[in-house]
Amino acid sequence: MATTPLAPDRTAVRKAAFASAVGNTIELYDFLIYGTAAAVVFNHLFFPAGDPWVGALLAFATFGAGFFARPLGAAVIGHFGDLVGRKRMLVITLGVTGACTAAIGVLPTYQEVGVWAPLMLVVLRLVQGFFLGGEQGGAVLMAVEHAPPHRHGWYGGWTFLGSPAGMFLATGVFAAAGAVSGDQFLVWGWRIPFLLSLVLVGVGLYVRLRLAESPEFARIRERGERARTPVAEVFTGAWRQVLLAAGVNLGFNTFIFILTTFLLTYGTEALGAPRDLMLLGSLCGSAAQIAGILLFAHLSDRLGRTRVMLGGGIFLALYALPMFLLLDTAEPALIVLAMCLGYAGSAAVFGPMAAFCAELFPTRVRYTGVSLGYQSGSVLGGGLSPFVATALLGLAGGASWPIAAYLVGGALVTVVCLVITGDPRRWARE
């Protein structure tokens, strides 16, 4: 006789979602402080050049290098996450990423060791990107696979709270480090956010080590239904889902990394805005995105993932030009408003994305599929966008409209992929 599955333990569900949020916050803090540093520090200390835009281009190129390591990390770590379990791989990714971040905080500068400084920076960035490539997919699954199906959106959204929370934390720590160090910020103050990572990683490991394994993975392990070669199965049987997930994430990542990294340089170098004002915009925007993620994740459980995310994709396309029109006024209040609206509106895509990606794939290859799809979109979107935007700005003689057009193109890719996908659950076949 068939038995009715037990309802998920609500405490365990919340614990898993909280652990995913905390771990992802720390991982994103580690990754995003590099983006902040690339905009305000590394172009001076590791890539000195007569033209500040050349230094910025080189700094953003190393920022992108970390993204290009992500798909490889997604394939390798996702493969083992589907073989040996989600929890074990998440502990490894958190520990290694944190160690790389702390190591960046003690690197010598170009003035001290010459070309070895940027080389060491790039190597650490590549290793960091590799392990982050397997982090977000696993964190998503720990939240979604613990949750009841009708609450996948809500609890999955908790995972991605780590991105704005990590950005909020990274920006806040950078602002505090600047206030503490004053005119010594470029001497030693910039190192504080990187070294602080060791403390945060200790907290994250404590939380993750106390978490139970995903019940869905435990179920297929007990039944002997694990994939023998998850990567091969994804490439032969689920490549369409990978492409769709990548396309959906591409437009969002293009938009959000313009906000989180490029605008810091654009505001200070092109608009002449104080660094603290741009950091304030990021702080306020991150808070707005946290609220937006929770709202849109909840709505996706009621209205459907694709419907909510389509609204977000259309917003990204329509808001690109108005955002730069607001920024280009150089009015402090309008700069902060432009950034807050961008962060909040983009949450309509980001909030439901955890559940959307997880529901595209069957459990036996879900870690690999989600990681590859999500991280491929991150490379093509977030990894390239600060570099492309900086190049477009230089080619256009300081005009911002080509960057807005670039954002519109990315958003349209997201919209088209969402229309093709429809209900993500129809793609998964156990």
Side-chain angles (χ1 to χ4, degrees):
M1 181 180 297
T3 58
T4 303
L6 294 175
D9 180 0
R10 185 171 299 180
T11 301
V13 172
R14 291 175 176 172
K15 184 177 179 181
F18 176 74
S20 293
V22 169
N24 206 35
T25 298
I26 296 167
E27 292 277 12
L28 267 295
Y29 169 85
D30 288 344
F31 205 75
L32 290 171
I33 56 173
Y34 188 100
T36 304
V40 299
V41 175
F42 292 156
N43 54 332
H44 299 290
L45 298 182
F46 288 85
F47 305 96
D51 185 340
W53 290 109
V54 174
L57 275 172
L58 292 171
F60 284 139
T62 62
F63 177 76
F67 278 87
F68 283 99
R70 284 192 186 193
L72 179 59
V76 174
I77 296 169
H79 175 85
F80 286 102
D82 283 323
L83 283 177
V84 302
R86 287 55 163 133
K87 176 181 174 179
R88 189 178 303 179
M89 302 314 297
L90 286 173
V91 169
I92 293 172
T93 58
L94 182 60
V96 176
T97 304
C100 289
T101 302
I104 290 174
V106 297
L107 283 180
T109 65
Y110 185 91
Q111 185 177 5
E112 294 168 323
V113 297
V115 71
W116 288 104
L119 285 175
M120 288 187 286
L121 186 64
V122 169
V123 169
L124 288 172
R125 181 66 175 170
L126 288 171
V127 175
Q128 186 188 56
F130 177 90
F131 282 92
L132 186 60
E135 156 66 25
Q136 289 172 310
V140 161
L141 298 190
M142 286 299 281
V144 173
E145 291 183 349
H146 272 86
H150 69 285
R151 298 290 277 165
H152 279 178
W154 171 250
Y155 287 110
W158 285 31
T159 305
F160 286 147
L161 290 177
S163 290
M167 184 64 196
F168 189 91
L169 184 61
T171 306
V173 171
F174 254 98
V180 169
S181 58
D183 58 6
Q184 294 291 299
F185 179 74
L186 290 178
V187 178
W188 57 267
W190 69 271
R191 299 181 184 274
I192 295 173
F194 290 91
L195 296 175
L196 182 62
S197 176
L198 290 176
V199 177
L200 299 176
V201 167
V203 174
L205 288 175
Y206 174 79
V207 171
R208 282 195 170 168
L209 286 169
R210 294 165 59 87
L211 189 64
E213 180 58 89
S214 154
E216 291 194 31
F217 175 79
R219 173 176 59 82
I220 65 168
R221 180 175 56 190
E222 291 172 3
R223 295 179 179 179
E225 297 174 352
R226 284 178 294 174
R228 292 186 179 182
T229 54
V231 171
E233 287 196 22
V234 167
F235 281 119
T236 57
W239 59 270
R240 295 176 185 84
Q241 294 99 297
V242 170
L243 291 178
L244 289 170
V248 168
N249 196 28
L250 184 150
F252 166 76
N253 256 260
T254 300
F255 187 91
I256 202 64
F257 277 97
I258 292 295
L259 276 177
T260 59
T261 57
F262 171 76
L263 288 191
L264 296 179
T265 297
Y266 182 74
T268 55
E269 301 288 348
L271 303 179
R275 182 185 68 206
D276 289 345
L277 173 65
M278 302 308 297
L279 293 176
L280 174 64
S282 292
L283 283 171
C284 295
S286 297
Q289 193 178 54
I290 289 173
I293 285 174
L294 292 173
L295 171 64
F296 292 116
H298 172 70
L299 287 177
S300 78
D301 283 328
R302 293 180 173 270
L303 304 178
R305 315 278 177 246
T306 305
R307 185 178 300 177
V308 173
M309 295 173 75
L310 265 176
I314 294 169
F315 167 83
L316 297 182
L318 295 178
Y319 182 62
L321 183 58
M323 179 175 72
F324 276 97
L325 291 176
L326 288 171
L327 291 168
D328 289 345
T329 65
E331 291 291 333
L334 294 181
I335 288 175
V336 173
L337 175 63
M339 297 177 73
C340 286
L341 291 175
Y343 276 99
S346 65
V349 178
F350 200 32
M353 192 179 294
F356 175 86
C357 290
E359 290 172 350
L360 278 171
F361 300 92
T363 305
R364 57 190 278 117
V365 296
R366 188 174 285 154
Y367 200 143
T368 308
V370 169
S371 297
L372 278 172
Y374 187 84
Q375 299 304 340
S376 296
S378 295
V379 170
L380 298 173
L384 292 176
S385 60
F387 180 86
V388 171
T390 304
L392 288 173
L393 191 68
L395 292 172
S400 59
W401 68 263
I403 305 170
Y406 172 56
L407 292 180
V408 171
L412 292 178
V413 172
T414 291
V415 169
V416 170
C417 288
L418 285 167
V419 171
I420 294 172
T421 302
D423 183 352
R425 292 170 296 184
R426 72 186 179 90
W427 294 86
R429 295 292 183 267
E430 294 287 357

PDB file of all heavy atoms in Angstrom, residues 333-353:
ATOM      1  N   ALA A 333      20.536  62.851  -4.369  1.00  0.00           N
ATOM      2  CA  ALA A 333      19.289  62.156  -4.062  1.00  0.00           C
ATOM      3  C   ALA A 333      18.830  61.299  -5.248  1.00  0.00           C
ATOM      4  O   ALA A 333      18.333  60.168  -5.051  1.00  0.00           O
ATOM      5  CB  ALA A 333      18.198  63.153  -3.689  1.00  0.00           C
ATOM      6  N   LEU A 334      18.996  61.803  -6.459  1.00  0.00           N
ATOM      7  CA  LEU A 334      18.560  61.055  -7.643  1.00  0.00           C
ATOM      8  C   LEU A 334      19.481  59.875  -7.929  1.00  0.00           C
ATOM      9  O   LEU A 334      19.045  58.845  -8.446  1.00  0.00           O
ATOM     10  CB  LEU A 334      18.476  61.984  -8.849  1.00  0.00           C
ATOM     11  CG  LEU A 334      17.403  63.074  -8.778  1.00  0.00           C
ATOM     12  CD1 LEU A 334      17.402  63.921 -10.041  1.00  0.00           C
ATOM     13  CD2 LEU A 334      16.017  62.456  -8.541  1.00  0.00           C
ATOM     14  N   ILE A 335      20.755  60.020  -7.617  1.00  0.00           N
ATOM     15  CA  ILE A 335      21.685  58.895  -7.770  1.00  0.00           C
ATOM     16  C   ILE A 335      21.268  57.750  -6.858  1.00  0.00           C
ATOM     17  O   ILE A 335      21.181  56.591  -7.272  1.00  0.00           O
ATOM     18  CB  ILE A 335      23.131  59.339  -7.468  1.00  0.00           C
ATOM     19  CG1 ILE A 335      23.656  60.223  -8.607  1.00  0.00           C
ATOM     20  CG2 ILE A 335      24.042  58.126  -7.279  1.00  0.00           C
ATOM     21  CD1 ILE A 335      25.029  60.814  -8.333  1.00  0.00           C
ATOM     22  N   VAL A 336      20.994  58.070  -5.597  1.00  0.00           N
ATOM     23  CA  VAL A 336      20.576  57.028  -4.650  1.00  0.00           C
ATOM     24  C   VAL A 336      19.237  56.428  -5.073  1.00  0.00           C
ATOM     25  O   VAL A 336      19.039  55.208  -5.013  1.00  0.00           O
ATOM     26  CB  VAL A 336      20.498  57.606  -3.217  1.00  0.00           C
ATOM     27  CG1 VAL A 336      19.908  56.577  -2.251  1.00  0.00           C
ATOM     28  CG2 VAL A 336      21.887  58.033  -2.743  1.00  0.00           C
ATOM     29  N   LEU A 337      18.301  57.273  -5.527  1.00  0.00           N
ATOM     30  CA  LEU A 337      16.998  56.783  -5.984  1.00  0.00           C
ATOM     31  C   LEU A 337      17.154  55.839  -7.173  1.00  0.00           C
ATOM     32  O   LEU A 337      16.517  54.771  -7.214  1.00  0.00           O
ATOM     33  CB  LEU A 337      16.105  57.966  -6.376  1.00  0.00           C
ATOM     34  CG  LEU A 337      14.750  57.606  -6.991  1.00  0.00           C
ATOM     35  CD1 LEU A 337      13.890  56.845  -5.983  1.00  0.00           C
ATOM     36  CD2 LEU A 337      14.031  58.864  -7.486  1.00  0.00           C
ATOM     37  N   ALA A 338      17.992  56.217  -8.133  1.00  0.00           N
ATOM     38  CA  ALA A 338      18.192  55.384  -9.320  1.00  0.00           C
ATOM     39  C   ALA A 338      18.716  54.012  -8.941  1.00  0.00           C
ATOM     40  O   ALA A 338      18.268  52.986  -9.474  1.00  0.00           O
ATOM     41  CB  ALA A 338      19.166  56.073 -10.281  1.00  0.00           C
ATOM     42  N   MET A 339      19.653  53.964  -8.014  1.00  0.00           N
ATOM     43  CA  MET A 339      20.227  52.684  -7.600  1.00  0.00           C
ATOM     44  C   MET A 339      19.212  51.854  -6.820  1.00  0.00           C
ATOM     45  O   MET A 339      19.090  50.639  -7.028  1.00  0.00           O
ATOM     46  CB  MET A 339      21.499  52.926  -6.788  1.00  0.00           C
ATOM     47  CG  MET A 339      22.606  53.608  -7.600  1.00  0.00           C
ATOM     48  SD  MET A 339      24.105  53.977  -6.657  1.00  0.00           S
ATOM     49  CE  MET A 339      24.799  52.332  -6.484  1.00  0.00           C
ATOM     50  N   CYS A 340      18.454  52.497  -5.946  1.00  0.00           N
ATOM     51  CA  CYS A 340      17.453  51.764  -5.153  1.00  0.00           C
ATOM     52  C   CYS A 340      16.380  51.138  -6.039  1.00  0.00           C
ATOM     53  O   CYS A 340      15.987  49.986  -5.835  1.00  0.00           O
ATOM     54  CB  CYS A 340      16.806  52.684  -4.128  1.00  0.00           C
ATOM     55  SG  CYS A 340      17.867  53.085  -2.730  1.00  0.00           S
ATOM     56  N   LEU A 341      15.885  51.895  -7.021  1.00  0.00           N
ATOM     57  CA  LEU A 341      14.870  51.362  -7.925  1.00  0.00           C
ATOM     58  C   LEU A 341      15.420  50.178  -8.722  1.00  0.00           C
ATOM     59  O   LEU A 341      14.712  49.189  -8.944  1.00  0.00           O
ATOM     60  CB  LEU A 341      14.386  52.458  -8.875  1.00  0.00           C
ATOM     61  CG  LEU A 341      13.552  53.585  -8.256  1.00  0.00           C
ATOM     62  CD1 LEU A 341      13.246  54.656  -9.297  1.00  0.00           C
ATOM     63  CD2 LEU A 341      12.263  53.033  -7.657  1.00  0.00           C
ATOM     64  N   GLY A 342      16.674  50.268  -9.145  1.00  0.00           N
ATOM     65  CA  GLY A 342      17.277  49.166  -9.887  1.00  0.00           C
ATOM     66  C   GLY A 342      17.392  47.910  -9.062  1.00  0.00           C
ATOM     67  O   GLY A 342      17.048  46.809  -9.517  1.00  0.00           O
ATOM     68  N   TYR A 343      17.871  48.052  -7.848  1.00  0.00           N
ATOM     69  CA  TYR A 343      17.996  46.893  -6.967  1.00  0.00           C
ATOM     70  C   TYR A 343      16.632  46.274  -6.669  1.00  0.00           C
ATOM     71  O   TYR A 343      16.462  45.053  -6.717  1.00  0.00           O
ATOM     72  CB  TYR A 343      18.656  47.304  -5.653  1.00  0.00           C
ATOM     73  CG  TYR A 343      20.167  47.347  -5.666  1.00  0.00           C
ATOM     74  CD1 TYR A 343      20.849  48.541  -5.828  1.00  0.00           C
ATOM     75  CD2 TYR A 343      20.910  46.187  -5.487  1.00  0.00           C
ATOM     76  CE1 TYR A 343      22.234  48.584  -5.824  1.00  0.00           C
ATOM     77  CE2 TYR A 343      22.292  46.220  -5.476  1.00  0.00           C
ATOM     78  CZ  TYR A 343      22.955  47.417  -5.641  1.00  0.00           C
ATOM     79  OH  TYR A 343      24.327  47.454  -5.642  1.00  0.00           O
ATOM     80  N   ALA A 344      15.649  47.115  -6.339  1.00  0.00           N
ATOM     81  CA  ALA A 344      14.333  46.607  -5.956  1.00  0.00           C
ATOM     82  C   ALA A 344      13.639  45.922  -7.131  1.00  0.00           C
ATOM     83  O   ALA A 344      13.080  44.821  -6.993  1.00  0.00           O
ATOM     84  CB  ALA A 344      13.475  47.751  -5.420  1.00  0.00           C
ATOM     85  N   GLY A 345      13.650  46.560  -8.301  1.00  0.00           N
ATOM     86  CA  GLY A 345      12.967  45.977  -9.449  1.00  0.00           C
ATOM     87  C   GLY A 345      13.594  44.694  -9.941  1.00  0.00           C
ATOM     88  O   GLY A 345      12.892  43.762 -10.356  1.00  0.00           O
ATOM     89  N   SER A 346      14.915  44.600  -9.872  1.00  0.00           N
ATOM     90  CA  SER A 346      15.593  43.381 -10.324  1.00  0.00           C
ATOM     91  C   SER A 346      15.257  42.176  -9.460  1.00  0.00           C
ATOM     92  O   SER A 346      15.418  41.030  -9.885  1.00  0.00           O
ATOM     93  CB  SER A 346      17.105  43.599 -10.349  1.00  0.00           C
ATOM     94  OG  SER A 346      17.615  43.808  -9.037  1.00  0.00           O
ATOM     95  N   ALA A 347      14.769  42.421  -8.241  1.00  0.00           N
ATOM     96  CA  ALA A 347      14.407  41.323  -7.344  1.00  0.00           C
ATOM     97  C   ALA A 347      13.255  40.483  -7.885  1.00  0.00           C
ATOM     98  O   ALA A 347      13.069  39.337  -7.478  1.00  0.00           O
ATOM     99  CB  ALA A 347      14.044  41.870  -5.963  1.00  0.00           C
ATOM    100  N   ALA A 348      12.478  41.034  -8.817  1.00  0.00           N
ATOM    101  CA  ALA A 348      11.377  40.252  -9.400  1.00  0.00           C
ATOM    102  C   ALA A 348      11.917  39.074 -10.210  1.00  0.00           C
ATOM    103  O   ALA A 348      11.247  38.048 -10.351  1.00  0.00           O
ATOM    104  CB  ALA A 348      10.506  41.143 -10.280  1.00  0.00           C
ATOM    105  N   VAL A 349      13.117  39.227 -10.761  1.00  0.00           N
ATOM    106  CA  VAL A 349      13.764  38.099 -11.431  1.00  0.00           C
ATOM    107  C   VAL A 349      14.515  37.243 -10.423  1.00  0.00           C
ATOM    108  O   VAL A 349      14.471  36.010 -10.456  1.00  0.00           O
ATOM    109  CB  VAL A 349      14.741  38.592 -12.525  1.00  0.00           C
ATOM    110  CG1 VAL A 349      15.444  37.408 -13.194  1.00  0.00           C
ATOM    111  CG2 VAL A 349      14.007  39.414 -13.573  1.00  0.00           C
ATOM    112  N   PHE A 350      15.195  37.898  -9.507  1.00  0.00           N
ATOM    113  CA  PHE A 350      16.117  37.207  -8.606  1.00  0.00           C
ATOM    114  C   PHE A 350      15.398  36.409  -7.526  1.00  0.00           C
ATOM    115  O   PHE A 350      15.801  35.292  -7.199  1.00  0.00           O
ATOM    116  CB  PHE A 350      17.034  38.249  -7.966  1.00  0.00           C
ATOM    117  CG  PHE A 350      18.300  37.686  -7.398  1.00  0.00           C
ATOM    118  CD1 PHE A 350      18.930  36.587  -7.954  1.00  0.00           C
ATOM    119  CD2 PHE A 350      18.899  38.284  -6.286  1.00  0.00           C
ATOM    120  CE1 PHE A 350      20.113  36.094  -7.445  1.00  0.00           C
ATOM    121  CE2 PHE A 350      20.072  37.805  -5.763  1.00  0.00           C
ATOM    122  CZ  PHE A 350      20.686  36.708  -6.346  1.00  0.00           C
ATOM    123  N   GLY A 351      14.348  36.962  -6.950  1.00  0.00           N
ATOM    124  CA  GLY A 351      13.674  36.300  -5.837  1.00  0.00           C
ATOM    125  C   GLY A 351      13.199  34.893  -6.148  1.00  0.00           C
ATOM    126  O   GLY A 351      13.468  33.944  -5.402  1.00  0.00           O
ATOM    127  N   PRO A 352      12.479  34.667  -7.281  1.00  0.00           N
ATOM    128  CA  PRO A 352      11.995  33.318  -7.598  1.00  0.00           C
ATOM    129  C   PRO A 352      13.032  32.434  -8.292  1.00  0.00           C
ATOM    130  O   PRO A 352      12.734  31.265  -8.579  1.00  0.00           O
ATOM    131  CB  PRO A 352      10.828  33.586  -8.563  1.00  0.00           C
ATOM    132  CG  PRO A 352      10.548  35.052  -8.497  1.00  0.00           C
ATOM    133  CD  PRO A 352      11.835  35.698  -8.125  1.00  0.00           C
ATOM    134  N   MET A 353      14.233  32.957  -8.574  1.00  0.00           N
ATOM    135  CA  MET A 353      15.151  32.219  -9.439  1.00  0.00           C
ATOM    136  C   MET A 353      15.650  30.918  -8.823  1.00  0.00           C
ATOM    137  O   MET A 353      15.912  29.937  -9.527  1.00  0.00           O
ATOM    138  CB  MET A 353      16.347  33.084  -9.846  1.00  0.00           C
ATOM    139  CG  MET A 353      17.167  32.467 -10.978  1.00  0.00           C
ATOM    140  SD  MET A 353      18.557  33.464 -11.507  1.00  0.00           S
ATOM    141  CE  MET A 353      17.730  34.893 -12.198  1.00  0.00           C
TER     142      MET A 353
END
